[in-house]
Amino acid sequence: MRIEYNGEILEFNSPVSGNSPVLELLLTPCVTLYQFICHNRSVFTVDMEFQPIIMAAGPGSRLAELTSKCPKAALLIGNRPMVWYPINMLEKAGFEEAIIIVDMDGQAEIQRVLTESCSVKLHLEYVTVSNTDDGTADVLREIKSKIKTDLLIIPCDLITDISLHNIANLHRTHDASLTMLLSSLPSQFYESVAPGARSKKPLEKDFFGFDEKRERILFTQSEADVAENISVKKSIFKKHPYMCVKSGLTDCHLYLMKKWVVDYLVENESLAYIRTELVPHLVRKQFSKTKVKDRLPQTNQSVISENQKMDILKFSTEDEYAADIRDLSSWNDHHGDMADCYHGDKIRCYGYIQEGGLCLRTNTVSSYSEANRQIQKIFTHTGIETPHLHPSVVLQKKSQVGADCVVAEGTEIGEKVSIKRSVIGRNCKIGDHVQIVNSTLLDNVIVEDGCDIKGSIISRKSVIHQKCEITNCLVGPGQQLNTMGKYKDEMIVYTVDI
Amino acid sequence: KKDAGSASGGKPEAAGANIKKEASSKDLSAASAVKKEPKRVPDHLKADDAETQKRIAKRLEKQRLPQRTVAQRKVRLFNHLHQYEREVSLTGSFSFSSGGIHPVIIKLGLQYAEGVICGSNARCLAMLAAFKQVIQDYTTPPQKELSRDLEATIKPYISFLNQCRLMSVSMGNAVKHLKHHITHMPNNLKDHEAKKKLLETIDSYIKERILLSAVAISKYVQDEAKIKDGDVILVYSCSSIVRKVLCDAWNQGKKFKVIVVDARPKMEGKEMLRRLVRAGIPCSYFMINAASYAMQEATKVMLGAHALLANGCVMSRVGTSQIALIAKACNVPVLVCCETYKFCERGQTDSFVYNELGDPDDLVFIGNKTPYLNDWRDYNSLTLLNLVYDVTPPEFISLVITELGLIPCTSVPVVLRMKQAETNET
């Protein structure tokens, strides 16, 4: 009996040479079941270059009020879950499979929202984190057995129209150990005031130091870690006398990483987070030299135990002929000193700076609300075609819905309603004489007559009674706002049940 | 046969494009009439023939490979050669799904296009290392034979590498050798045994014909005392084999000086200079316009080669023929170091009929001065030409040092015949 599985041919020799229909009868369903299981298990073939991992288990600490009842990845932007945008980007790039890391509680919600709002062609493998205190690097350590090739790590809150092959080309050309996506901050997203907050929270900047070609990253430091000065090692300056320091770039948390980094993470358990710990560690280790064992054990002393910390350079293995090729090739990435190509550095970290285009992370309340306000712009950039008014929406006469809004299905809108720069979720009921400007209404919100909502976020199943005036507020899920209430710059969230 | 064809293709080319078209159309009709006769002018030399280009475009589409944008303005004399505009992304049309071009090959193609891997030996070695990886990852589909299917798998990879950068002669010979072994693989072997055999073939090719040949050439130079104490050796641009020879000779204790001559736009001489100085050799550095002044000091000239042609000409980096000419005029002997795997059956008498056209924008940068040619595209009458290779006639070359010994330039067909006999035996 021959079975074809994934390109390999397995042959079973029948144990009994003669006819044994009973045995075959027993074997065939088992074999077909085995085949069924094998084919439906997610198997990464060797030809895949990058294995995408979507990090959707984050607690969403900066979106705390909104994520109390639902995971951050399932929050709706333009009536699609936040995690849908990176999934869409992966689908467009041609990926067929991805691993998505979720929290145990959040998995059901994310799955429900994804299937409800849109069709996802990408085959997602859900992996739950066992310990909620785990950092992103700890998660990589946990799923080490599933990682077969180089990684593409994407956060769930990244909305971008970058074509992945640009950053992949930079990674491939220089055979980099780590490549990250950097983008200049779009000012309007971060300068707007968050609903519910009384003042602007200052945005944390990151400092990046590049070499003269603006590709290789020489150092990285976030503003929080910098007291007054940024210090750079003299040895780095000796190797790279020309350094370009940029402070206006954000790290989009999209990383292309070589497989050996995961092996190193397994060995070195002190690194818990990718952005705050692993990335600066790798950038620093670019310039580390191989440790020379200078002290041999004395002959008359007994060596009880030696603390062998695995040197990172032992993990960064190259192909067998890579050193020969570099030696034979007449190319050098820098001129003016006696050093070899790349200064002989085996670990190389590169950054791809995206000029123009759209790239933003919706991990704070202000960027989340601004993303909803600019949803049509996002749709044009990412090539999504959604009618701004869903065909099933009931719109009474004399009501105006701006072209830059998105209204989802099942919503009923009353008379003389004016909606501008807003996103309205599914099955909402909006009464008459309502004004909604610059706001986000999630699913199943009821807004009664005469209300005036400006610059706010209203979460699911809330009821806004008649003639409310809400300016710049954040209304949590299931809230009820009194008639004729006036709310300004407030956060009306779920109060603890006693 | 081929050299007569390319020579005749060269002469009408100089006269005008129309005559070339007639000759090529005659060739095509002749080819269709007698099907067995090989094409006199290969496809990649017919960039101005619309029919050939359409055929090539269809083939690329079938293989799902990107088509590079053809350069807007080419020098009319070189219309038959391909020149591409520098693209934002070569791999834009590739999806990340499995089952397309193998990722190792994509990486290799990008490194060729960016110039990260540059130099005949380096490119060939990188390509063979990539093919090793491809063969390792390859599994024969059911109902198919490895000998046929593997060749069909490799074909689009070679087209892609060609699209990224024109294949060098060394790469072409290596691919021919590999294909020969694939097609002659006995069918009764199991998959992993056949793959193991192929990997061993590639390994032995790399070891014998690239790496150990360099060692052998260096040894010949040392044994025949081609570098003596007090010599002043002039080298041009960067050649891995010449560098190895000089460094080995220096390490043996010979005392000599080196003059490195360099030329724009690649300025590879700087890299040669860096490596020689790091080895401890005293060097001088000249630009090619001062080559005749430098030649008065030189006692020998040592050149590397991209390929050695069947009529004895040496094809090498553009500027080599000038160096050889000046050396001949100053009575300085010229030694060419070349491994035998770079020997080619082609014959050329000029540098026009077959060459590589580099990116013309490389010529714009002139260091600290203002780039006058920045807006060369705005002037309709101005076209930039960036040739990569040129051909040195055998009269200027005194000696060729190969791993088989010291041979004159004109012995190339003999070596080729010998190697052919060897491969036919195996």
Side-chain angles (χ1 to χ4, degrees):
Chain A
M1 203 192 320
R2 293 171 100 225
I3 301 172
E4 218 184 276
Y5 153 56
N6 222 22
E8 288 175 22
I9 300 177
L10 309 166
E11 290 208 82
F12 291 96
N13 285 323
S14 178
V16 182
S17 53
N19 279 339
S20 61
V22 179
L23 202 59
E24 285 227 24
L25 215 61
L26 287 173
L27 273 177
T28 351
C30 303
V31 163
T32 45
L33 184 66
Y34 173 75
Q35 257 185 304
F36 175 83
I37 295 171
C38 288
H39 276 279
N40 284 341
R41 192 178 55 168
S42 112
V43 176
F44 286 98
T45 56
V46 185
D47 266 352
M48 271 235 326
E49 195 179 352
F50 296 111
Q51 197 168 340
I53 298 184
I54 305 177
M55 298 283 188
S61 45
R62 278 177 276 192
L63 284 163
E65 303 77 26
L66 292 165
T67 55
S68 53
K69 280 280 181 96
C70 96
K72 175 171 97 161
L75 280 180
L76 297 179
I77 297 180
N79 298 317
R80 286 165 206 263
M82 200 190 277
V83 74
W84 181 83
Y85 292 91
I87 292 178
N88 184 41
M89 176 178 74
L90 289 177
E91 276 180 4
K92 277 212 285 218
F95 285 99
E96 291 158 342
E97 291 165 311
I99 296 179
I100 177 164
I101 315 280
V102 285
D103 204 354
M104 264 183 297
D105 310 320
Q107 178 177 353
E109 177 70 21
I110 295 176
Q111 270 176 314
R112 181 190 72 86
V113 174
L114 273 177
T115 41
E116 189 183 270
S117 52
C118 37
S119 61
V120 171
K121 281 183 286 211
L122 196 69
H123 176 257
L124 288 172
E125 187 185 332
Y126 288 86
V127 173
T128 47
V129 284
S130 47
N131 187 0
T132 40
D133 285 334
D134 270 351
T136 37
D138 294 326
V139 164
L140 283 184
R141 213 174 281 133
E142 263 184 51
I143 60 169
K144 157 178 100 84
S145 53
K146 294 190 198 274
I147 296 177
K148 309 261 182 286
T149 171
D150 294 351
L151 296 176
L152 166 63
I153 299 178
I154 313 180
C156 61
D157 51 16
L158 180 68
I159 301 181
T160 175
D161 64 345
I162 175 187
S163 12
L164 280 173
H165 58 82
N166 284 329
I167 183 174
N169 282 353
L170 181 62
H171 183 84
R172 290 164 180 148
T173 310
H174 296 282
D175 210 14
S177 319
L178 174 77
T179 310
M180 47 176 126
L181 176 65
L182 303 167
S183 139
S184 31
L185 306 170
S187 49
Q188 72 250 62
F189 277 86
Y190 296 94
E191 280 168 17
S192 56
V193 183
R198 285 197 180 75
S199 58
K200 249 192 302 184
K201 267 198 221 144
L203 186 70
E204 274 194 12
K205 284 197 263 191
D206 290 318
F207 295 102
F208 290 96
F210 294 93
D211 71 340
E212 57 192 358
K213 289 212 188 118
R214 309 275 195 307
E215 284 175 344
R216 187 150 170 212
I217 294 183
L218 303 175
F219 81 87
T220 166
Q221 221 162 6
S222 70
E223 198 180 357
D225 297 334
V226 173
E228 266 183 28
N229 317 315
I230 300 178
S231 48
V232 183
K233 268 188 174 167
K234 191 158 77 166
S235 57
I236 302 181
F237 269 125
K238 275 196 187 161
K239 286 190 189 177
H240 300 268
Y242 181 98
M243 194 189 293
C244 171
V245 179
K246 293 195 174 210
S247 67
L249 295 173
T250 26
D251 185 353
C252 300
H253 288 230
L254 188 148
Y255 303 111
L256 284 165
M257 221 183 262
K258 277 228 150 59
K259 181 173 182 298
W260 65 257
V261 177
V262 180
D263 300 330
Y264 175 68
L265 267 181
V266 169
E267 196 61 41
N268 185 346
E269 305 209 345
S270 61
L271 302 166
Y273 291 91
I274 294 184
R275 173 65 189 102
T276 46
E277 289 174 22
L278 178 63
V279 168
H281 184 82
L282 280 178
V283 169
R284 266 197 312 270
K285 285 289 183 181
Q286 283 180 100
F287 306 106
S288 68
K289 293 193 254 290
T290 41
K291 290 195 184 68
V292 178
K293 265 218 172 109
D294 45 347
R295 279 190 315 131
L296 295 168
Q298 307 278 337
T299 38
N300 49 357
Q301 277 181 2
S302 59
V303 182
I304 301 169
S305 72
E306 269 189 32
N307 194 5
Q308 294 269 5
K309 215 176 171 189
M310 287 304 267
D311 199 9
I312 191 174
L313 291 167
K314 290 202 184 74
F315 286 94
S316 57
T317 48
E318 284 184 322
D319 304 328
E320 55 176 317
Y321 289 115
D324 282 323
I325 294 169
R326 264 211 298 280
D327 183 53
L328 290 172
S329 172
S330 62
W331 182 81
N332 204 327
D333 66 324
H334 64 277
H335 291 281
D337 66 358
M338 279 293 166
D340 274 334
C341 189
Y342 301 128
H343 291 276
D345 293 333
K346 285 216 212 131
I347 304 173
R348 299 182 281 276
C349 296
Y350 280 83
Y352 177 77
I353 304 177
Q354 194 200 13
E355 312 273 346
L358 177 76
C359 190
L360 55 113
R361 288 195 67 211
T362 52
N363 55 345
T364 56
V365 181
S366 60
S367 51
Y368 174 77
S369 61
E370 188 66 28
N372 272 312
R373 278 179 221 141
Q374 306 229 5
I375 191 67
Q376 286 295 346
K377 187 166 134 193
I378 293 178
F379 279 172
T380 33
H381 272 274
T382 47
I384 302 164
E385 304 210 349
T386 312
H388 76 277
L389 211 59
H390 196 274
S392 70
V393 167
V394 176
L395 191 66
Q396 303 287 357
K397 55 182 190 278
K398 290 192 191 163
S399 291
Q400 283 179 330
V401 178
D404 45 8
C405 302
V406 179
V407 182
E409 64 219 3
T411 302
E412 291 171 11
I413 304 178
E415 290 183 27
K416 290 207 177 150
V417 172
S418 161
I419 306 182
K420 292 195 184 98
R421 293 186 87 211
S422 302
V423 174
I424 317 277
R426 286 184 197 80
N427 303 320
C428 291
K429 280 198 185 51
I430 302 180
D432 307 329
H433 300 279
V434 171
Q435 256 205 343
I436 305 180
V437 177
N438 281 343
S439 301
T440 309
L441 269 67
L442 297 180
D443 299 344
N444 300 330
V445 167
I446 300 178
V447 179
E448 295 188 359
D449 306 336
C451 288
D452 190 4
I453 306 177
K454 285 196 182 64
S456 306
I457 300 177
I458 312 215
S459 309
R460 278 184 306 175
K461 300 200 178 125
S462 300
V463 179
I464 318 282
H465 287 288
Q466 291 184 2
K467 297 211 180 118
C468 270
E469 270 184 34
I470 308 174
T471 314
N472 235 22
C473 292
L474 199 150
V475 180
Q479 294 298 313
Q480 300 241 358
L481 295 185
N482 304 323
T483 43
M484 307 267 299
K486 284 196 185 10
Y487 303 92
K488 195 170 153 79
D489 293 330
E490 280 180 39
M491 236 184 284
I492 307 150
V493 282
Y494 200 86
T495 45
V496 178
D497 272 353
I498 303 167
Chain B
K1 248 190 254 176
K2 261 199 177 169
D3 51 13
S6 14
S8 73
K11 261 201 242 144
E13 174 57 40
N18 291 332
I19 307 177
K20 172 78 189 325
K21 276 214 175 90
E22 277 179 17
S24 62
S25 59
K26 240 197 286 177
D27 284 339
L28 281 176
S29 55
S32 57
V34 184
K35 284 190 185 141
K36 286 281 179 177
E37 198 177 286
K39 273 193 269 206
R40 296 189 132 230
V41 181
D43 270 348
H44 56 262
L45 290 186
K46 285 205 207 150
D48 55 347
D49 186 21
E51 218 181 276
T52 323
Q53 288 317 300
K54 251 194 284 181
R55 197 161 23 101
I56 293 176
K58 242 196 288 180
R59 183 163 33 104
L60 285 175
E61 236 182 86
K62 210 169 50 162
Q63 292 173 335
R64 285 177 291 153
L65 291 175
Q67 309 234 17
R68 295 194 69 172
T69 43
V70 177
Q72 297 156 321
R73 260 209 323 257
K74 275 199 289 196
V75 177
R76 282 253 306 268
L77 192 60
F78 292 92
N79 258 340
H80 63 288
L81 296 175
H82 286 281
Q83 187 179 322
Y84 298 117
E85 296 281 349
R86 195 175 203 113
E87 251 134 343
V88 176
S89 174
L90 264 172
T91 57
S93 56
F94 288 165
S95 80
F96 284 87
S97 56
S98 56
I101 305 271
H102 196 285
V104 173
I105 302 283
I106 299 182
K107 187 164 99 175
L108 190 66
L110 282 169
Q111 285 177 327
Y112 283 165
E114 295 290 319
V116 173
I117 299 184
C118 185
S120 180
N121 279 337
R123 284 166 70 189
C124 186
L125 181 56
M127 185 188 71
L128 288 173
F131 276 141
K132 269 186 79 175
Q133 185 68 37
V134 168
I135 292 177
Q136 252 163 6
D137 294 339
Y138 172 78
T139 40
T140 323
Q143 316 294 338
K144 287 207 179 143
E145 283 174 9
L146 181 131
S147 54
R148 292 210 186 95
D149 191 60
L150 183 57
E151 208 191 322
T153 322
I154 288 187
K155 229 172 166 190
Y157 298 169
I158 297 175
S159 298
F160 172 67
L161 292 178
N162 229 343
Q163 286 283 91
C164 293
R165 188 174 164 194
L166 195 67
M167 288 235 287
S168 65
V169 169
S170 55
M171 286 164 72
N173 286 345
V175 164
K176 238 192 281 183
H177 180 262
L178 180 64
K179 276 193 177 165
H180 173 89
H181 278 267
I182 293 176
T183 44
H184 286 77
M185 186 68 51
N187 286 334
N188 55 355
L189 281 180
K190 281 217 181 88
D191 220 14
H192 68 273
E193 276 178 33
K195 289 202 304 195
K196 194 165 135 208
K197 211 162 159 235
L198 278 176
L199 293 174
E200 277 170 18
T201 323
I202 296 182
D203 265 330
S204 71
Y205 190 86
I206 293 176
K207 194 164 134 198
E208 281 169 30
R209 309 203 67 182
I210 305 181
L211 300 175
L212 286 181
S213 298
V215 175
I217 291 175
S218 179
K219 197 158 177 301
Y220 268 117
V221 167
Q222 185 196 327
D223 287 346
E224 305 286 330
K226 287 299 168 192
I227 299 182
K228 300 191 181 68
D229 281 344
D231 260 343
V232 179
I233 303 178
L234 192 140
V235 298
Y236 177 70
S237 194
C238 187
S239 165
S240 51
I241 180 77
V242 171
R243 176 171 44 92
K244 185 172 168 57
V245 164
L246 293 176
C247 290
D248 284 349
W250 182 262
N251 291 335
Q252 295 297 323
K254 295 268 192 307
K255 298 282 174 259
F256 55 90
K257 290 195 218 164
V258 171
I259 301 177
V260 178
V261 178
D262 198 11
R264 281 181 63 232
K266 288 212 167 178
M267 302 291 259
E268 285 166 332
K270 281 198 212 163
E271 187 58 21
M272 179 75 139
L273 181 69
R274 174 186 78 79
R275 295 188 200 203
L276 292 177
V277 169
R278 209 160 72 152
I281 306 174
C283 297
S284 308
Y285 179 82
F286 282 82
M287 292 298 283
I288 194 169
N289 46 339
S292 53
Y293 179 76
M295 197 61 71
Q296 294 166 21
E297 308 261 321
T299 58
K300 286 188 180 73
V301 172
M302 204 174 259
L303 301 171
H306 171 92
L308 236 63
L309 305 170
N311 58 344
C313 293
V314 172
M315 185 166 140
S316 187
R317 182 68 78 226
V318 64
T320 315
S321 56
Q322 292 302 300
I323 301 289
L325 176 66
I326 299 171
K328 178 83 177 179
C330 298
N331 272 328
V332 177
V334 175
L335 300 143
V336 170
C337 301
C338 182
E339 296 94 333
T340 53
Y341 84 105
K342 292 183 191 165
F343 286 11
C344 177
E345 295 149 348
R346 206 170 60 215
Q348 272 177 245
T349 50
D350 59 51
S351 318
F352 300 156
V353 64
Y354 180 82
N355 211 323
E356 183 184 332
L357 292 177
D359 187 13
D361 290 314
D362 288 343
L363 293 170
V364 173
F365 175 70
I366 43 174
N368 288 334
K369 298 199 218 138
T370 46
Y372 302 109
L373 290 172
N374 226 346
D375 45 1
W376 66 273
R377 287 170 214 266
D378 298 337
Y379 300 95
N380 273 331
S381 49
L382 185 62
T383 334
L384 297 189
L385 176 67
N386 185 4
L387 283 178
V388 181
Y389 299 117
D390 73 3
V391 167
T392 312
E395 299 88 56
F396 299 154
I397 314 269
S398 318
L399 192 61
V400 176
I401 309 174
T402 69
E403 74 265 22
L404 298 174
L406 312 170
I407 59 173
C409 249
T410 42
S411 300
V412 170
V414 176
V415 172
L416 280 173
R417 236 193 341 259
M418 210 177 73
K419 292 284 175 188
Q420 186 81 7
E422 255 180 44
T423 32
N424 285 339
E425 272 173 39
T426 54

